[in-house]
């Protein structure tokens, strides 16, 4: 699990508030099956299973001595420091928190107590809140197949201690400084005639001048056939898309031509594998396909189903709707309209000036190239403008607005991305780059705030917000952050 930098502030008593990185040094005792905690008074977490153990585990580590770890592996019930989820304070690389075996729940909270020591408590005068995103990456299952085959007979023997008598046929080493004729106990073995099979369990090299075909005992392993490169590997989740029954769709006037090919990955099926013509109403509309859909040329309308759909618009001005389910939508070329609908959707406008909307649910909304309009909808959404002059609207719920500083220079404020509904109470603005917040100018521009580099590259214009509110929820993350490769 990784945590993307929280926004907001919290106070343990009326007065000064603090960020997720916290302040002071706490030293709390165990309570109710949870471990003690030594560390800053900031954002912390704990993994739990189905129940809480009556015995509290020991303290994971003393976070008062540093919080720049790259990863943590807490046990169930061990309280750990989270902070802003980066190795530095507002800078550095994302930290990883590895869930223990049996974990089914994850809680976040703030440690508190009298003088920040002893038994936790004194929460009645706390105030404020943090808004943040936690990205959970499932553990990769063991890979079956694809490795080296078992060692076949014919491998090198294990050398016994010097002087060990040979088994029938020889095979041991002679005692030191004693010359023993071949084939006698303790001497070198008699070489079998060429072509004699090796005894079971190995014991020598293949007979001379005999070529063993790949895959047979004593021969080389069978090499798997080379896989052709996937030209769309960077399009959706680095090409990792579940196997689906693919339907290739092409608009031809009032007709749509389609084919169904089972057992292939979505992007790996050739365009030419087409089936029969089907007469549909004019306009090229395909509705309620519960699996994968790839449109070809033309202006297509593809409407998903209640299942988890994969829809690729390809060329043309397309309208793609995921409907219910957790959907993957990719616009392709030209100017597209993409709507995720309900569920946790991954949506990328790709090339062209696109309208990309997440709908209900926690969505990942990306513009790609061109001047795009992005809308998160209801839920905790991640919005990335990428190239061009984009407009980002988070909608209801805590949202993360990601502005990439490296994609193209914007010499004027009118070319910068626009964030239309930022709220410092629950939203966060993430700027990618190899600099710190001190290298940015955060300035008032009428009722808005502009963010630019000191070299004059305008990154974003935040509507109806003051520089102070923007700065307290602004974090710089690396350009290679995992959040950009979902």
């Amino acid at each position: 699990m990784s945590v993307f930098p929280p926004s907001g502030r919290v106070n343990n008593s009326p007065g000064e508030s603090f960020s997720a990185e916290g302040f002071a040094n706490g030293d709390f005792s165990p309570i109710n099956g949870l471990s003690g905690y030594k560390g800053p008074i900031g954002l912390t977490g704990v993994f739990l299973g189905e129940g809480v153990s009556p015995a509290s585990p020991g303290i994971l580590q003393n976070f008062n001595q540093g919080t720049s770890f790259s990863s943590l592996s807490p046990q169930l019930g061990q309280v750990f420091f989270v902070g802003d989820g980066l190795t530095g304070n507002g800078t550095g690389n994302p930290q990883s928190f590895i869930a223990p075996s049996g974990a089914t729940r994850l809680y976040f909270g703030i440690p508190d107590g009298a003088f920040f020591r002893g038994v936790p408590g004194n929460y009645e005068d706390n105030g404020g809140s943090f808004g943040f995103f936690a990205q959970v990456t499932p553990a990769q299952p063991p890979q079956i197949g694809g490795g080296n085959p078992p060692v076949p007979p014919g491998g090198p023997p294990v050398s016994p201690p010097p002087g060990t008598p040979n088994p029938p046929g020889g095979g041991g080493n002679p005692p030191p400084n004693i010359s023993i004729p071949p084939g006698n106990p303790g001497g070198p073995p008699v070489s079998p005639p060429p072509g004699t099979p090796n005894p079971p369990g190995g014991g020598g090299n293949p007979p001379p001048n005999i070529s063993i075909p790949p895959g047979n005992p004593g021969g080389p392993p069978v090499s798997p056939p080379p896989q052709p490169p996937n030209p769309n590997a960077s399009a959706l989740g680095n090409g990792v898309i579940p196997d689906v029954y693919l339907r290739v769709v092409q608009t031809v006037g009032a007709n749509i031509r389609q084919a169904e090919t089972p057992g292939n990955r979505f992007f790996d099926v050739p365009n030419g594998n087409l089936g029969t013509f089907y007469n549909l109403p004019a306009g090229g509309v395909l509705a309620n396909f519960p699996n994968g859909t790839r449109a070809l040329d033309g202006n297509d309308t593809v409407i998903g189903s209640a299942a988890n759909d994969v829809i690729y618009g390809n060329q043309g001005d397309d309208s793609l709707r995921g409907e219910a389910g957790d959907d993957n939508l990719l616009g392709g070329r030209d100017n597209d309209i993409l709507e995720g609908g309900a569920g946790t959707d991954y949506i990328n406008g790709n090339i062209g000036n696109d309208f990309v909307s997440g709908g209900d649910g926690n969505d990942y909304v990306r513009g790609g190239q061109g001047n795009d309009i992005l809308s998160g909808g209801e839920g905790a959404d991640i919005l990335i403008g990428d190239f061009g002059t984009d407009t980002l609207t988070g909608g209801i719920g805590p949202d993360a607005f990601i502005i990439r500083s490296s994609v193209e220079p914007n010499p004027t404020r009118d070319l910068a991305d626009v964030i239309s509904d930022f709220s410092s109470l629950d939203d966060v603005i993430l700027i990618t780059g190899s600099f710190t917040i001190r290298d940015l100018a955060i300035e008032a521009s009428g009722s808005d705030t502009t963010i630019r580099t000191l070299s004059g590259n305008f990154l974003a214009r935040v509507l109806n917000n003051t520089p102070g509110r923007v700065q307290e929820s602004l974090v710089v993350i690396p350009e290679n952050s995992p959040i950009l490769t979902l």
Side-chain angles (χ1 to χ4, degrees):
M1 179 200 71
S2 297
V3 172
F4 296 103
S7 61
R9 301 182 72 83
V10 166
N11 60 278
N12 286 87
S13 60
E16 185 65 27
S17 62
F18 56 89
S19 69
E21 280 289 283
F23 76 107
N25 292 331
D27 188 352
F28 297 92
S29 57
I31 185 171
N32 296 333
L34 303 182
S35 75
Y37 171 75
K38 292 183 178 181
I41 308 302
L43 182 63
T44 59
V46 62
F47 290 102
L48 296 179
E50 289 301 324
V52 178
S53 171
S56 299
I59 288 178
L60 177 60
Q61 67 184 60
N62 187 352
F63 294 102
N64 290 324
Q65 299 176 354
T67 60
S68 59
F69 54 85
S70 59
S71 67
L72 288 177
S73 298
Q75 301 175 20
L76 292 175
Q78 280 188 322
V79 180
F80 56 90
F81 178 80
V82 176
D84 64 4
L86 300 173
T87 53
N89 188 347
T91 62
N93 296 318
Q95 296 169 312
S96 297
F97 304 91
I98 302 172
S101 176
T104 59
R105 294 174 291 165
L106 169 60
Y107 290 91
F108 296 94
I110 308 297
D112 197 5
F115 304 104
F116 307 130
R117 294 290 185 274
V119 179
N122 294 33
Y123 286 99
E124 65 276 358
D125 57 353
N126 292 181
S129 65
F130 292 133
F132 58 93
F133 294 87
Q135 176 186 339
V136 179
T137 304
Q140 296 299 317
Q143 299 297 314
I144 300 175
N148 293 322
V151 177
V158 177
S159 298
T164 301
N166 289 321
N173 296 317
N177 303 317
I178 297 178
S179 176
I180 300 177
N184 291 296
V190 177
S191 298
T196 302
N198 290 320
N205 295 315
N209 303 321
I210 295 180
S211 176
I212 300 177
N216 290 296
V222 177
S223 300
Q227 296 297 316
N230 187 346
N232 299 285
S234 63
L236 279 175
N238 295 326
V240 182
I241 298 175
D243 290 348
V244 295
Y245 283 85
L246 174 72
R247 289 168 171 83
V248 181
V249 181
Q250 182 178 33
T251 303
V252 185
N255 301 313
I256 285 185
R257 186 166 53 182
Q258 64 178 13
E260 186 172 296
T261 308
N264 291 282
R265 290 190 179 277
F266 180 74
F267 286 119
D268 293 344
V269 178
N271 294 348
N273 189 13
L274 297 172
T276 312
F277 276 94
Y278 290 84
N279 292 323
L280 294 177
V285 177
L286 183 69
N288 198 29
F289 264 32
N291 297 292
T293 302
R294 179 175 183 171
L296 300 182
D297 298 340
N299 303 331
D300 307 306
T301 298
V302 182
I303 303 172
S305 67
N308 301 333
D309 304 303
V310 178
I311 304 175
Y312 177 30
N314 211 339
Q315 298 187 43
D317 298 338
D318 305 311
S319 176
L320 313 179
R321 286 162 47 190
E323 298 295 305
D326 301 336
D327 308 309
N328 286 282
L329 275 61
L330 178 66
R333 300 181 62 88
D334 301 308
N335 306 324
D336 306 308
I337 299 174
L338 293 82
E339 300 174 272
T344 300
D345 305 309
Y346 294 80
I347 313 172
N348 190 334
N350 208 338
I351 302 172
N353 302 327
D354 307 306
F355 173 79
V356 186
S357 172
D360 293 344
N362 303 331
D363 305 307
Y364 185 81
V365 181
R366 193 159 192 169
Q369 300 183 34
N371 303 325
D372 307 306
I373 299 175
L374 310 183
S375 173
E378 186 172 348
D381 306 307
I382 299 172
L383 296 89
I384 308 176
D386 284 320
F387 293 83
T389 301
D390 307 305
T391 300
L392 288 66
T393 303
I396 300 174
D399 303 304
F401 302 96
I402 301 181
I403 306 298
R404 299 181 61 190
S405 67
S406 63
V407 291
E408 59 189 24
N410 297 318
T412 67
R413 66 188 292 272
D414 294 333
L415 295 176
D417 287 348
V418 175
I419 301 176
S420 68
D421 67 340
F422 170 77
S423 169
S424 60
L425 296 178
D426 53 10
D427 296 333
V428 63
I429 299 175
L430 308 179
I431 305 288
T432 69
S434 56
F435 44 76
T436 67
I437 292 179
R438 278 173 264 187
D439 300 311
L440 297 174
I442 305 170
E443 304 166 325
S445 177
S447 61
D448 307 329
T449 294
T450 59
I451 306 171
R452 64 175 176 85
T453 63
L454 296 181
S455 61
N457 181 14
F458 284 84
L459 302 176
R461 183 157 54 101
V462 185
L463 302 186
N464 302 315
N465 267 275
T466 64
R469 289 180 178 175
V470 170
Q471 185 166 351
E472 71 179 10
S473 300
L474 183 66
V475 178
V476 176
I477 63 174
E479 186 64 41
N480 62 351
S481 172
I483 198 171
L484 297 174
T485 60
L486 290 178

